[in-house]
Amino acid sequence: MATGEQIVYLYDGSFPGLMCALYESLHRNCLPEDVCSEDSAVLYLYPTQRIITDEGQARSFQKWILEHCGSDVLTFVRHGFLSCLARREIRILRFLRLARERGPRVLDMLQHDDVLPLHRAVLHLRRESHLLKGFVHFSLRQGVLVATIGPRNQVLPLLAEHFCTRFSAERFLIHDSTNNMVLMHDPPRTELLSVTGVELSAKDQGEEDIEALWRLFYDTIDVSGRENPRLRMSLMPKRYWSFMTEFQEQGTGPR
Amino acid sequence: MDVLSKLEILADAAKYDVACTSSGVNRKASPGQIGSAASCGICHSFAADGRCISLLKVLMGNHCAFDCRYCVNRRTNDVRRAAFSPREIADLTMQFYRRNYIEGLFLSSAVERNPDYATEQMIVALRLLRKEYRFAGYIHVKGIPGTDKSLIASLGLLADRISINIELPSQASLNLLAPDKSKASILDPMGYVTEQIADYKSLALRRQGFSAAASFAPAGQSTQMIIGATPDSDLQILRLTESLYRKYRLKRVFFSAYMPVVSDGLLPAIDSRPPLLREHRLYQADWLLRFYGFSASELLTESNNSFNPYVDPKCNWALNNPDFFPLEINTASREELLRVPGIGVTGTRRILAARRQASLTFADLQKLGVVIKRAQYFVTCNGRRPEDLPVAPDTVLRGLISERLLAEGRKGWLGEPEPEQLSYIREHPLLEGGVPGWQLVNK
Ligand code: SF4
């Protein structure tokens, strides 16, 4: 059993940084009070230890996870990191300690407190990214397909493959305004970037007409006599609406 | 007429076909193509009625030579008529697809002139999309009853899914309400599609590794039935559904609650409400057939030929089969677990995986996503029932029936103070611990 230590690990907020923090903990068999990103504005009541990010060590730790716990566990850990779960770092650490003992089967242990919250968070991320595969609606700006989204989780890494396959020859850009990230596809290049903001150029000519056609289709397809606003809301929560063409009045929304 | 006006008329005319799924096929674009298909299906929006919008669902045209009495587009109905050109359909699809509004196209048509002519128009549109625009997204196309086989063959090579709608669930209803259609004009092309799908599949298997074989409607075949326009019972509809899955290997059977759109002495009054709850129960039963190992004859019988409006078909089955329960969570088979109200396909999978790690308690079940307030009457964990199993009739009812339905029932739904179906549940011995097997378990 690891000794619980009254110490907080500080890492640089990156995934490799987290890998190094987790390695440090498992390697020294010490369970910190918490693992936090340096820029999180938390008041620490415990002494802190700064973790140095070492890409090589991060890679070999991931290789260790892969070999000991299987690829599903590694993917689960990556997705846990991209989720919006509070204190996800320490939860990932606790999960990995259990995974070290139980191997790949750990993913079946939903009844365990070190698994369930993380499992729910990962499911939330995966569901949200599945929804957004559909809800991302582009508008053409200077020949580039541009969309803005406001997800809860960091979905762009999960969306990249889908959109790059579907629109392989198109230039497109998806801006995640929650996490200040941009997915850019300018064939054959694809990049995932951190940004401070995105300035949109105006919509191309004819774009409003196509949007009007879509809005007309959306309004027409509804069968009156079957309205079920509660069902619609549960399948497509309101927070996504403001980014979707069918809910923007002509000439409103991001121009 | 401009495209906007055409879209308004032809999307409106198409919306009573409820199928809008884009699932069943995985495909990546090859170089020079645009688009892909995801087998799990993707919704791009949801309409105000809560239905998934996945495909651009339109008619090629709504001039119809037929006179089906339940349909807005019938020859003798006075509606605005329009027709898209194949090029207009293809352009609209591409414009929507590029902006990620849709997964693809669901193209259908009224019987413009005759079934073959209308189908030829659709083929031209689909060829434009596939060959000229190199479109690799999803296409669902409607087969019109009475169409020549050679044309159905062309459709199948261009589309991912074909559906030929049965619409009316019995020969008698068909004769009465769709005089231009016959059972044979629907089932013959349907059978042909079934054969072609099977042939192309076995061909692809034999050729594996040599060349990419052409595929015929790789996402399979589906159909739709209208519910509530005719006196056909739930049992008749469900039996027909079951045989369509078995005999024609259909991927999906869709149900559409009849929405009165025309006044006709043979049909429900124009102001009657669509039987949405009945449609919902049929969909639940359809899932039980496809994923839960139930058969139609287990769910309904000649003497009991319609679903209980208050409880779902699975719960209804459980109440009718008390001898099957209780089941022990830690030892029951997959097939048995699937029959427990409150446990779904995912719940079953999780239970099987988790119980290999440790034996499960009721608290664990909750974490695995089981609906305890429903399942608790039907299972034990390590030989025990939950310690605080509610047996007060009201609590029991609230566990098995949604609040909304219960409230409606109490209000005198269907015009009775306490409908019989409701008291049947309330007084059920299984829920009072009155079944012999149950009392033993508790000791
Ligand atoms: S053939 Fe189709 S479009 Fe024509 S009246 Fe019958 S159901 Fe309507």
Side-chain angles (χ1 to χ4, degrees), chain B residues 313-420:
Chain B
K314 186 170 160 187
C315 197
N316 198 41
W317 177 85
L319 294 174
N320 284 328
N321 290 273
D323 296 347
F324 191 79
F325 301 102
L327 290 174
E328 168 55 42
I329 282 290
N330 288 293
T331 55
S333 68
R334 175 175 188 276
E335 290 69 28
E336 287 173 327
L337 289 173
L338 282 173
R339 292 193 168 227
V340 179
I343 301 184
V345 173
T346 310
T348 299
R349 180 165 35 78
R350 288 179 181 165
I351 289 170
L352 293 175
R355 79 184 186 190
R356 260 184 258 129
Q357 306 299 313
S359 94
L360 301 175
T361 64
F362 278 96
D364 294 334
L365 284 189
Q366 188 120 37
K367 295 179 188 165
L368 298 178
V370 168
V371 185
I372 294 289
K373 67 175 187 171
R374 196 162 290 205
Q376 61 189 353
Y377 298 100
F378 306 97
V379 295
T380 56
C381 287
N382 299 310
R384 292 167 173 278
R385 300 174 74 176
E387 266 150 37
D388 46 1
L389 185 72
V391 286
D394 257 33
T395 328
V396 172
L397 278 184
R398 248 176 272 130
L400 300 181
I401 301 175
S402 82
E403 291 284 350
R404 192 171 53 84
L405 279 182
L406 192 57
E408 278 180 38
R410 289 263 153 80
K411 258 196 330 230
W413 202 57
L414 301 179
E416 291 167 39
E418 162 127 334
E420 201 188 318

Side-chain angles (χ1 to χ4, degrees), chain B residues 19 45 86 95 123 139 146 150 159 169 240 281 285 333 369 380 392 402 425 435 437:
Chain B
S45 191
Q95 283 162 344
I123 292 174
I139 296 179
S150 64
L240 179 57
R281 292 281 177 251
S333 68
T380 56
S402 82
I425 304 165
V435 175

Side-chain angles (χ1 to χ4, degrees), chain A residues 102 105 108-111 113 116 119-120 123 130-131 133-138 140 145 161-163 165-168 170 207 210-214 216-218 220-232 235-236 244-247, chain B residues 3-4 7-8 11-12 15-16 28-29 34-37 40-51 53 55-57 92 95-103 257 259 273-274 276 279 350 353-354 356-358 360 364 367-368 404:
Chain A
R102 310 297 290 253
R105 282 281 172 84
D108 293 335
M109 301 172 64
L110 293 191
Q111 69 274 40
D113 289 340
L116 187 65
H119 168 85
R120 289 201 172 132
L123 217 59
H130 179 74
L131 285 181
K133 281 178 187 172
F135 297 167
V136 165
H137 291 351
F138 293 108
L140 209 51
L145 295 166
E161 197 198 321
H162 171 78
F163 281 104
T165 311
R166 176 158 293 191
F167 299 116
S168 57
E170 299 273 359
E207 205 54 17
I210 291 170
E211 293 181 355
L213 281 168
W214 174 246
L216 174 78
F217 178 74
Y218 181 82
T220 307
I221 202 81
D222 170 45
V223 179
S224 63
R226 296 190 60 116
E227 292 86 359
N228 193 343
R230 269 211 323 226
L231 181 62
R232 170 168 68 175
L235 295 166
M236 181 173 64
M244 297 168 75
T245 318
E246 53 271 36
F247 300 109
Chain B
V3 173
L4 198 78
L7 182 64
E8 187 173 12
D12 192 61
K15 69 186 180 190
Y16 297 101
K28 288 185 177 181
I34 171 168
S36 59
C40 54
I42 294 174
C43 295
H44 289 254
S45 191
F46 287 89
D49 53 17
R51 285 192 292 180
I53 298 179
L55 304 171
L56 168 60
K57 182 160 45 175
L92 200 54
Q95 283 162 344
F96 281 6
Y97 193 78
R98 258 188 108 196
R99 284 156 188 82
N100 205 43
Y101 297 160
I102 52 171
E103 281 299 288
M259 177 75 63
R273 310 218 359 103
L276 293 177
E279 177 195 281
R350 288 179 181 165
R356 260 184 258 129
Q357 306 299 313
L360 301 175
D364 294 334
K367 295 179 188 165
L368 298 178
R404 192 171 53 84

Side-chain angles (χ1 to χ4, degrees), chain B residues 64 66-68 70-75 109-111 167 181:
Chain B
C64 198
F66 285 8
D67 204 26
C68 309
Y70 50 82
C71 176
V72 255
N73 302 316
R74 61 189 282 193
R75 186 179 64 233
S109 181
V111 184
E167 301 293 16
K181 295 176 182 168

Side-chain angles (χ1 to χ4, degrees), chain A residues 1-5 24-31 97 100:
Chain A
M1 215 51 231
T3 47
E5 262 186 55
E24 171 78 10
S25 160
L26 291 177
H27 179 68
R28 291 191 39 227
N29 212 17
C30 134
L31 183 60
R97 292 162 60 93
R100 179 170 62 174

Side-chain angles (χ1 to χ4, degrees), chain B residues 227-248:
Chain B
I227 306 306
T230 53
D232 306 293
S233 71
D234 289 346
L235 175 63
Q236 270 172 298
I237 293 168
L238 203 63
R239 272 203 195 131
L240 179 57
T241 303
E242 186 174 62
S243 67
L244 287 168
Y245 285 132
R246 287 191 184 153
K247 188 156 172 229
Y248 293 91

